[in-house]
Amino acid sequence: MNFGLIIIGDEILSGRRQDKHMAKVIELLAARGHALAWVRYIGDDRERITVALREAFASGDVVFSCGGIGATPDDHTRQCAALACGQPLQLHAEAKRLIQERMRDVAMEQGLPYEPDRADNVHRLNMGVFPVGASLIPNPYNKIPGFSVGHVHFVPGFPVMAHPMIEWVLDQRYADLRSPEHTELALYVFGANEASLTPLMEEIEARFEGIRVFSLPSVDHPERGLHIELGVKGPPQAAAAAFEHLRQALLARGGLRIQPVA
């Protein structure tokens, strides 16, 4: 099972806000033995969001979509989700109850009367208009829920809300899901360039089934200077064998210096 992440909002692309979702989702998945397979950043553009969500529904991946589920003119995700999954929008009865409960709480905190028929309160109910058949994702911060349609899960753009909601989905929906064991082993290589190492990398991937080789060059590291972090990833036993082959091949070349990655 692959996990994907869609992050929606002009504010991310313009730099007015810094994305905090990707790093947190990587952390939440890693704590449960999973890894993030892909990420997409999209502005507040209905056509682009709809295309991305159609692909998410068709992918079979578990996908988290962050942002755009509010009820202001720049929030399009709920409408795009309906178009992408081919279902009409409808006010979810339990979402309506939760939103009204939140409005009642706010009125009480402010010492004001609760007026459910006031125009702004009626408008807030749009935050509970989801594709027909959607299930709710509870929001521990302010009760206003997100929603799931199949394996695609929609949460707000606010990290303080989104992250516990994503964690809830992982623990409630995918607690029994187990990803294959995966190991990464690497070393620092000094005195070589990527072009000269490419044949060795290709040989290792061809020889060891299920192994992928990665190369991360650095030209201005404050401590190590010019070097390449070279490694392998895949099933533990195969990774260990591939890594030893890599290490021995580098030692045999001469003129290189290698150092284990802690």
Side-chain angles (χ1 to χ4, degrees):
M1 179 70 74
N2 288 324
F3 290 84
L5 177 63
I6 299 173
I7 299 166
I8 296 170
D10 286 346
E11 67 278 8
I12 300 295
L13 300 182
S14 69
R16 290 196 303 275
R17 296 279 178 89
Q18 298 300 309
D19 169 45
K20 297 181 180 179
H21 295 304
M22 185 173 72
K24 186 63 178 181
V25 170
I26 289 171
E27 175 189 321
L28 293 174
L29 289 173
R32 293 159 177 78
H34 308 304
L36 188 62
W38 55 266
V39 179
R40 294 184 71 169
Y41 291 89
I42 308 172
D44 297 315
D45 180 288
R46 285 202 181 196
E47 184 175 350
R48 291 182 186 276
I49 296 169
T50 302
V51 169
L53 292 179
R54 281 197 181 113
E55 293 175 357
F57 284 121
S59 70
D61 297 343
V62 176
V63 179
F64 294 100
S65 174
C66 301
I69 65 171
T72 57
D74 58 342
D75 290 319
H76 307 296
T77 304
R78 293 178 296 104
Q79 298 89 334
C80 295
L83 288 171
C85 71
Q87 292 290 338
L89 287 166
Q90 175 179 287
L91 179 59
H92 191 289
E94 178 63 9
K96 177 183 178 180
R97 186 190 69 78
L98 289 166
I99 295 167
Q100 289 178 328
E101 186 176 305
R102 170 61 178 171
M103 292 188 292
R104 186 179 299 109
D105 292 345
V106 171
M108 185 177 299
E109 290 168 6
Q110 296 175 346
L112 299 172
Y114 169 51
E115 301 174 288
D117 296 327
R118 200 175 65 203
D120 59 332
N121 284 334
V122 172
H123 178 75
R124 289 187 175 96
L125 293 178
N126 287 320
M127 292 186 290
V129 173
F130 304 142
V132 170
S135 58
L136 299 189
I137 302 173
N139 182 341
Y141 185 81
N142 67 2
K143 299 183 181 179
I144 298 176
F147 64 99
S148 299
V149 179
H151 50 84
V152 183
H153 309 283
F154 299 86
V155 297
F158 299 104
V160 70
M161 302 178 193
H163 298 167
M165 294 169 77
I166 291 172
E167 192 164 14
W168 183 89
V169 171
L170 289 171
D171 290 340
Q172 294 298 316
R173 292 281 304 271
Y174 305 106
D176 296 332
L177 184 63
R178 295 288 180 265
S179 293
E181 284 193 74
H182 180 90
T183 297
E184 290 191 12
L185 300 168
L187 42 77
Y188 299 124
V189 181
F190 302 86
N193 58 61
E194 283 190 298
S196 67
L197 297 174
T198 298
L200 174 59
M201 296 166 66
E202 292 173 340
E203 177 209 339
I204 290 173
E205 288 198 346
R207 176 180 292 206
F208 297 93
E209 185 176 355
I211 292 298
R212 293 172 61 187
V213 182
F214 60 89
S215 173
L216 304 172
S218 180
V219 297
D220 58 354
H221 192 277
E223 297 174 4
R224 288 182 290 274
L226 182 65
H227 72 281
I228 299 172
E229 182 179 344
L230 189 64
V232 299
K233 52 189 175 183
Q237 187 172 351
F243 182 70
E244 181 58 21
H245 181 85
L246 172 66
R247 193 179 71 86
Q248 293 295 339
L250 292 172
L251 288 173
R253 289 191 176 209
L256 302 180
R257 182 167 65 91
I258 62 174
Q259 175 184 328
V261 173

